[in-house]
Amino acid sequence: MNSNSIILTLADLCQYLKEHDNYLVLTHASPDGDTLGSAYALKLGLKKLGKKVQVICPDEIPHKYDYFIDDSECDFIPETVVAVDVADIKLLGDMWQRFEGRIDLNIDHHISNTNYAKRLYLDETASATAESVYEILDELGVEFDRNIANALYTGISTDTGCFKYANVTVRTHEIAAKLYAIGVDAADINRIMFDTKSKSRVKMEMMVLNGAEFHFDDRCMTLAVTLDIQKQTGCSKSDMEGVASMSRSVEGVLVGVAIKETEKNVFKISLRTYDPLDASEICKKLGGGGHKAAAGCTVEGSLKDAKDAILSAIKESLEEIDAGANITK
Ligand SMILES: [Mn+2]
Protein backbone atom coordinates (compact mmCIF):
# COMPACT_ATOMS: atom_id res chain seq x y z
CA MET A 1 0.00 0.00 0.00
CA ASN A 2 1.14 3.52 -0.82
CA SER A 3 1.45 5.20 2.54
CA ASN A 4 3.23 8.34 1.40
CA SER A 5 0.74 10.55 -0.35
CA ILE A 6 1.97 13.78 -1.88
CA ILE A 7 0.32 16.44 0.25
CA LEU A 8 -1.41 19.10 -1.84
CA THR A 9 -2.28 22.68 -0.99
CA LEU A 10 -5.54 24.13 -2.28
CA ALA A 11 -3.62 25.80 -5.12
CA ASP A 12 -1.84 22.52 -6.04
CA LEU A 13 -5.14 20.68 -5.99
CA CYS A 14 -6.88 23.19 -8.25
CA GLN A 15 -3.96 23.12 -10.67
CA TYR A 16 -4.18 19.33 -10.76
CA LEU A 17 -7.93 19.37 -11.37
CA LYS A 18 -7.51 21.86 -14.23
CA GLU A 19 -4.77 19.80 -15.88
CA HIS A 20 -6.62 16.47 -15.74
CA ASP A 21 -9.88 15.11 -17.11
CA ASN A 22 -12.10 12.01 -17.34
CA TYR A 23 -12.72 11.79 -13.64
CA LEU A 24 -14.02 8.84 -11.71
CA VAL A 25 -15.18 10.07 -8.30
CA LEU A 26 -15.55 7.48 -5.55
CA THR A 27 -17.61 7.73 -2.37
CA HIS A 28 -17.25 5.53 0.68
CA ALA A 29 -19.48 2.50 1.27
CA SER A 30 -22.63 3.01 3.39
CA PRO A 31 -22.73 6.49 1.88
CA ASP A 32 -23.64 9.50 4.01
CA GLY A 33 -24.64 13.03 3.08
CA ASP A 34 -21.06 14.29 3.08
CA THR A 35 -19.46 11.72 0.79
CA LEU A 36 -22.42 11.93 -1.63
CA GLY A 37 -22.83 15.70 -1.45
CA SER A 38 -19.09 16.20 -1.98
CA ALA A 39 -18.93 13.73 -4.87
CA TYR A 40 -21.91 15.14 -6.75
CA ALA A 41 -20.98 18.78 -6.12
CA LEU A 42 -17.54 17.97 -7.52
CA LYS A 43 -19.13 16.25 -10.51
CA LEU A 44 -21.51 19.14 -11.20
CA GLY A 45 -18.75 21.70 -10.74
CA LEU A 46 -16.12 19.95 -12.87
CA LYS A 47 -18.72 19.41 -15.61
CA LYS A 48 -19.17 23.19 -15.73
CA LEU A 49 -15.47 23.41 -16.52
CA GLY A 50 -16.01 21.06 -19.46
CA LYS A 51 -14.64 17.97 -17.72
CA LYS A 52 -16.09 14.48 -17.98
CA VAL A 53 -17.04 13.03 -14.60
CA GLN A 54 -18.67 9.87 -13.31
CA VAL A 55 -19.48 9.09 -9.67
CA ILE A 56 -19.35 5.56 -8.32
CA CYS A 57 -20.80 4.63 -4.95
CA PRO A 58 -19.97 1.13 -3.64
CA ASP A 59 -23.48 0.73 -2.19
CA GLU A 60 -26.97 1.66 -3.29
CA ILE A 61 -27.69 5.36 -2.70
CA PRO A 62 -30.68 5.92 -0.37
CA HIS A 63 -33.56 7.69 -2.15
CA LYS A 64 -33.62 10.56 0.31
CA TYR A 65 -30.61 12.01 -1.54
CA ASP A 66 -32.36 11.97 -4.93
CA TYR A 67 -32.73 15.77 -5.05
CA PHE A 68 -29.07 16.34 -5.88
CA ILE A 69 -28.07 13.09 -7.57
CA ASP A 70 -26.95 13.78 -11.12
CA ASP A 71 -27.38 10.54 -13.06
CA SER A 72 -26.34 11.94 -16.40
CA GLU A 73 -23.83 9.64 -18.04
CA CYS A 74 -21.34 10.26 -20.74
CA ASP A 75 -19.10 7.80 -22.47
CA PHE A 76 -15.47 8.01 -21.55
CA ILE A 77 -12.63 5.95 -20.21
CA PRO A 78 -11.79 7.13 -16.68
CA GLU A 79 -8.25 8.45 -16.30
CA THR A 80 -8.25 10.19 -12.96
CA VAL A 81 -9.62 8.50 -9.86
CA VAL A 82 -10.67 10.76 -6.97
CA ALA A 83 -11.92 9.52 -3.60
CA VAL A 84 -13.92 12.03 -1.52
CA ASP A 85 -14.52 11.80 2.24
CA VAL A 86 -12.87 8.35 2.20
CA ALA A 87 -10.38 8.16 5.10
CA ASP A 88 -9.14 4.64 4.36
CA ILE A 89 -9.18 2.59 1.15
CA LYS A 90 -11.02 -0.20 3.00
CA LEU A 91 -13.99 2.18 3.33
CA LEU A 92 -14.58 1.59 -0.38
CA GLY A 93 -16.24 -1.63 0.77
CA ASP A 94 -16.34 -4.35 -1.88
CA MET A 95 -14.44 -2.14 -4.32
CA TRP A 96 -11.29 -1.45 -2.32
CA GLN A 97 -9.08 -4.10 -3.89
CA ARG A 98 -10.04 -2.94 -7.37
CA PHE A 99 -8.73 0.53 -6.57
CA GLU A 100 -5.78 -0.28 -4.35
CA GLY A 101 -2.80 1.81 -5.49
CA ARG A 102 -4.98 3.42 -8.16
CA ILE A 103 -6.46 6.42 -6.34
CA ASP A 104 -4.87 9.50 -7.90
CA LEU A 105 -6.38 12.00 -5.53
CA ASN A 106 -8.05 11.94 -2.12
CA ILE A 107 -10.02 14.91 -0.80
CA ASP A 108 -10.82 14.41 2.87
CA HIS A 109 -11.21 15.91 6.33
CA HIS A 110 -10.65 12.87 8.60
CA ILE A 111 -7.74 13.17 10.98
CA SER A 112 -7.43 9.36 10.75
CA ASN A 113 -6.71 9.48 6.99
CA THR A 114 -4.34 6.63 6.10
CA ASN A 115 -2.52 8.36 3.19
CA TYR A 116 -3.49 5.60 0.77
CA ALA A 117 -3.85 7.83 -2.32
CA LYS A 118 -1.10 9.13 -4.59
CA ARG A 119 -2.08 12.71 -3.70
CA LEU A 120 -3.92 13.96 -0.66
CA TYR A 121 -5.77 17.18 0.07
CA LEU A 122 -6.63 16.95 3.75
CA ASP A 123 -8.21 19.74 5.78
CA GLU A 124 -8.98 18.30 9.18
CA THR A 125 -10.31 21.68 10.32
CA ALA A 126 -13.17 21.39 7.81
CA SER A 127 -16.43 20.23 9.42
CA ALA A 128 -17.20 18.27 6.26
CA THR A 129 -15.42 17.35 3.05
CA ALA A 130 -18.16 19.40 1.39
CA GLU A 131 -16.67 22.50 3.02
CA SER A 132 -13.42 21.80 1.16
CA VAL A 133 -15.28 21.06 -2.06
CA TYR A 134 -16.96 24.47 -1.79
CA GLU A 135 -13.55 26.13 -1.50
CA ILE A 136 -12.13 24.07 -4.36
CA LEU A 137 -14.97 24.94 -6.75
CA ASP A 138 -14.81 28.57 -5.67
CA GLU A 139 -11.06 28.65 -6.31
CA LEU A 140 -11.62 27.04 -9.72
CA GLY A 141 -14.05 29.83 -10.58
CA VAL A 142 -17.04 27.51 -11.00
CA GLU A 143 -20.36 29.31 -11.28
CA PHE A 144 -22.40 27.84 -8.44
CA ASP A 145 -26.02 26.89 -8.99
CA ARG A 146 -28.78 25.56 -6.78
CA ASN A 147 -28.00 21.89 -7.43
CA ILE A 148 -24.39 22.33 -6.37
CA ALA A 149 -25.51 24.37 -3.35
CA ASN A 150 -27.98 21.64 -2.34
CA ALA A 151 -25.32 18.93 -2.61
CA LEU A 152 -22.80 20.95 -0.57
CA TYR A 153 -25.36 21.99 2.04
CA THR A 154 -26.34 18.33 2.47
CA GLY A 155 -22.72 17.40 3.13
CA ILE A 156 -22.11 20.18 5.61
CA SER A 157 -25.43 19.93 7.45
CA THR A 158 -25.29 16.14 7.85
CA ASP A 159 -21.66 16.07 9.08
CA THR A 160 -22.46 18.80 11.63
CA GLY A 161 -25.78 17.38 12.86
CA CYS A 162 -27.49 20.42 11.31
CA PHE A 163 -24.83 22.85 12.58
CA LYS A 164 -24.97 21.52 16.13
CA TYR A 165 -21.65 19.71 16.63
CA ALA A 166 -18.34 21.04 17.95
CA ASN A 167 -16.80 20.78 14.46
CA VAL A 168 -18.81 23.83 13.31
CA THR A 169 -16.63 26.91 12.78
CA VAL A 170 -17.06 30.47 11.60
CA ARG A 171 -16.11 29.22 8.15
CA THR A 172 -18.85 26.57 8.24
CA HIS A 173 -21.44 29.29 8.71
CA GLU A 174 -19.78 31.58 6.17
CA ILE A 175 -19.98 28.85 3.54
CA ALA A 176 -23.57 28.08 4.53
CA ALA A 177 -24.37 31.78 4.11
CA LYS A 178 -22.88 31.69 0.59
CA LEU A 179 -25.06 28.65 -0.16
CA TYR A 180 -28.13 30.56 1.06
CA ALA A 181 -27.19 33.40 -1.29
CA ILE A 182 -27.15 30.89 -4.16
CA GLY A 183 -30.68 29.76 -3.22
CA VAL A 184 -30.08 26.49 -1.39
CA ASP A 185 -33.28 24.66 -0.38
CA ALA A 186 -32.14 24.51 3.24
CA ALA A 187 -35.51 24.11 4.96
CA ASP A 188 -36.56 21.27 2.65
CA ILE A 189 -33.19 19.56 3.04
CA ASN A 190 -33.30 19.90 6.83
CA ARG A 191 -36.76 18.35 6.91
CA ILE A 192 -35.65 15.39 4.77
CA MET A 193 -32.35 14.86 6.62
CA PHE A 194 -33.26 15.63 10.23
CA ASP A 195 -37.02 15.70 10.79
CA THR A 196 -38.23 12.70 8.80
CA LYS A 197 -38.08 9.09 9.96
CA SER A 198 -39.42 6.04 8.16
CA LYS A 199 -41.93 3.91 10.07
CA SER A 200 -39.51 1.00 10.01
CA ARG A 201 -36.94 3.25 11.68
CA VAL A 202 -39.34 4.17 14.48
CA LYS A 203 -40.13 0.47 15.05
CA MET A 204 -36.40 -0.33 15.07
CA GLU A 205 -35.69 2.48 17.56
CA MET A 206 -38.38 1.16 19.90
CA MET A 207 -36.82 -2.31 19.94
CA VAL A 208 -33.28 -0.97 20.23
CA LEU A 209 -34.17 1.30 23.17
CA ASN A 210 -35.82 -1.65 24.88
CA GLY A 211 -32.42 -3.36 24.95
CA ALA A 212 -30.45 -0.26 26.00
CA GLU A 213 -27.73 -0.78 28.60
CA PHE A 214 -25.89 1.68 30.82
CA HIS A 215 -22.31 1.21 31.99
CA PHE A 216 -19.62 3.00 34.01
CA ASP A 217 -21.85 5.06 36.30
CA ASP A 218 -24.26 5.66 33.43
CA ARG A 219 -21.61 7.54 31.49
CA CYS A 220 -21.85 5.04 28.64
CA MET A 221 -24.97 3.80 26.87
CA THR A 222 -25.00 0.93 24.41
CA LEU A 223 -27.64 0.23 21.80
CA ALA A 224 -27.56 -2.88 19.61
CA VAL A 225 -29.27 -3.38 16.26
CA THR A 226 -29.08 -7.12 15.72
CA LEU A 227 -29.88 -8.86 12.44
CA ASP A 228 -33.00 -10.12 14.19
CA ILE A 229 -34.22 -6.56 14.87
CA GLN A 230 -33.38 -5.53 11.30
CA LYS A 231 -35.37 -8.48 9.97
CA GLN A 232 -38.36 -7.90 12.23
CA THR A 233 -38.64 -4.17 11.47
CA GLY A 234 -37.43 -4.17 7.84
CA CYS A 235 -35.24 -1.16 8.61
CA SER A 236 -32.64 -0.10 6.05
CA LYS A 237 -28.98 0.77 6.49
CA SER A 238 -29.77 4.48 6.42
CA ASP A 239 -32.52 3.93 9.04
CA MET A 240 -29.73 2.78 11.37
CA GLU A 241 -27.52 5.84 10.82
CA GLY A 242 -28.90 7.83 13.75
CA VAL A 243 -28.66 5.09 16.38
CA ALA A 244 -25.23 6.19 17.62
CA SER A 245 -26.33 9.73 18.36
CA MET A 246 -29.53 8.51 20.07
CA SER A 247 -27.48 7.22 22.99
CA ARG A 248 -25.38 10.34 23.34
CA SER A 249 -28.50 12.47 23.78
CA VAL A 250 -29.20 10.89 27.19
CA GLU A 251 -28.35 13.07 30.19
CA GLY A 252 -25.00 12.19 31.76
CA VAL A 253 -23.89 9.97 28.89
CA LEU A 254 -20.34 10.81 27.72
CA VAL A 255 -20.10 8.03 25.19
CA GLY A 256 -22.87 6.57 23.06
CA VAL A 257 -22.29 3.21 21.43
CA ALA A 258 -24.25 1.74 18.55
CA ILE A 259 -23.51 -1.89 17.71
CA LYS A 260 -24.91 -2.93 14.34
CA GLU A 261 -24.77 -6.52 13.18
CA THR A 262 -23.88 -6.24 9.48
CA GLU A 263 -23.71 -9.97 8.84
CA LYS A 264 -23.79 -12.96 11.12
CA ASN A 265 -21.14 -12.44 13.81
CA VAL A 266 -19.81 -9.21 12.30
CA PHE A 267 -20.55 -6.04 14.27
CA LYS A 268 -19.96 -2.49 13.11
CA ILE A 269 -19.56 -0.27 16.12
CA SER A 270 -20.21 3.49 15.97
CA LEU A 271 -19.13 5.73 18.83
CA ARG A 272 -20.25 9.26 19.67
CA THR A 273 -18.43 11.01 22.48
CA TYR A 274 -18.31 14.28 24.34
CA ASP A 275 -15.14 15.97 25.55
CA PRO A 276 -12.75 14.89 26.96
CA LEU A 277 -13.39 11.39 25.57
CA ASP A 278 -11.84 10.81 22.15
CA ALA A 279 -13.91 8.41 20.01
CA SER A 280 -11.14 8.07 17.43
CA GLU A 281 -8.57 7.00 20.09
CA ILE A 282 -10.98 4.41 21.51
CA CYS A 283 -11.84 2.93 18.10
CA LYS A 284 -8.17 2.83 17.07
CA LYS A 285 -7.59 0.24 19.81
CA LEU A 286 -9.91 -2.06 17.84
CA GLY A 287 -8.47 -1.27 14.42
CA GLY A 288 -10.92 1.52 13.53
CA GLY A 289 -10.78 5.30 13.47
CA GLY A 290 -12.63 8.51 12.71
CA HIS A 291 -13.01 11.86 14.42
CA LYS A 292 -12.70 12.98 18.04
CA ALA A 293 -16.46 13.04 18.58
CA ALA A 294 -17.51 10.33 16.11
CA ALA A 295 -15.62 7.18 15.15
CA GLY A 296 -16.15 3.52 14.33
CA CYS A 297 -14.65 0.05 14.19
CA THR A 298 -15.64 -3.50 13.32
CA VAL A 299 -15.52 -6.50 15.67
CA GLU A 300 -16.10 -10.13 14.74
CA GLY A 301 -17.59 -12.70 17.08
CA SER A 302 -20.78 -12.76 19.12
CA LEU A 303 -22.71 -9.69 20.21
CA LYS A 304 -21.23 -10.24 23.66
CA ASP A 305 -17.69 -10.31 22.21
CA ALA A 306 -18.33 -7.04 20.38
CA LYS A 307 -19.79 -5.41 23.47
CA ASP A 308 -16.99 -6.66 25.73
CA ALA A 309 -14.32 -5.42 23.31
CA ILE A 310 -15.67 -1.90 22.95
CA LEU A 311 -16.57 -1.59 26.64
CA SER A 312 -13.07 -2.53 27.74
CA ALA A 313 -11.60 0.03 25.30
CA ILE A 314 -13.98 2.68 26.66
CA LYS A 315 -13.20 1.68 30.25
CA GLU A 316 -9.49 2.33 29.66
CA SER A 317 -10.18 5.80 28.33
CA LEU A 318 -12.59 6.65 31.14
CA GLU A 319 -10.02 5.48 33.71
CA GLU A 320 -7.36 7.68 32.11
CA ILE A 321 -9.69 10.66 32.32
CA ASP A 322 -10.62 9.89 35.92
CA ALA A 323 -6.92 9.56 36.82
CA GLY A 324 -6.17 12.89 35.11
CA ALA A 325 -9.02 14.54 37.00
CA ASN A 326 -7.56 13.28 40.28
CA ILE A 327 -4.14 14.69 39.49
CA THR A 328 -5.51 18.17 38.83
CA LYS A 329 -7.51 18.14 42.07
MN1 LIG B 1 -17.35 13.70 6.14
Side-chain angles (χ1 to χ4, degrees), residues 34 85 109-110 159:
D34 190 29
D85 197 45
H109 69 129
H110 294 90
D159 259 24

